[in-house]
Amino acid sequence: EKITITNDKGRLSKEEIDRMVNDAEKYKNEDDAQKERIAAKNGLESYIFNLKSTLEQDQVKTKLGSEEVNEARAKLDSALSWLDKNQLGEKEEYEEKQKELERELKRLMAKLYDSQSSGAGQNGDASCGQQARHGAQNQEPTIEEVD
């Protein structure tokens, strides 16, 4: 993006225009850093709420069991509490907190998605990756034309 400051009515002097342009350039880096910080914060918050929503699904509760669901909820609640207390945190703090949470819940998510993939029926309702892992036997390869 380029900022254009015009002097249509002769109200601004050349020095004032130069100062405004210099200020805009000077604060651009700060604005970009702020934008990245907010994106990291929003990413963490979104991750937490998406997982909380996933844990509320009945099929997830039956696959994981109440103890594992409660353990995951506790970790998510703790992370959300941390986020509420660290509204002015740095980008790196939010990214590290999300990585920590991902590490803590990795085993649980792997169990959830492994049980989902094993629940996929025939190749018709399995994902491409599941089809490849299970080997789509006795099927000829298909060629799709792309314009």
Side-chain angles (χ1 to χ4, degrees), residues 88-102:
L88 299 176
E90 294 297 320
K91 171 188 157 196
E92 292 77 16
E93 291 176 287
Y94 296 129
E95 289 172 343
E96 182 55 38
K97 188 65 173 178
Q98 184 167 340
K99 287 177 187 173
E100 175 187 325
L101 198 55
E102 288 169 353

Side-chain angles (χ1 to χ4, degrees), residues 3 5 14-28:
I3 298 174
I5 302 172
K14 174 75 172 138
E15 293 80 25
E16 290 172 318
I17 292 173
D18 289 342
R19 182 187 51 81
M20 292 171 81
V21 169
N22 289 337
D23 285 349
E25 289 171 359
K26 179 172 80 173
Y27 294 121
K28 180 186 182 317

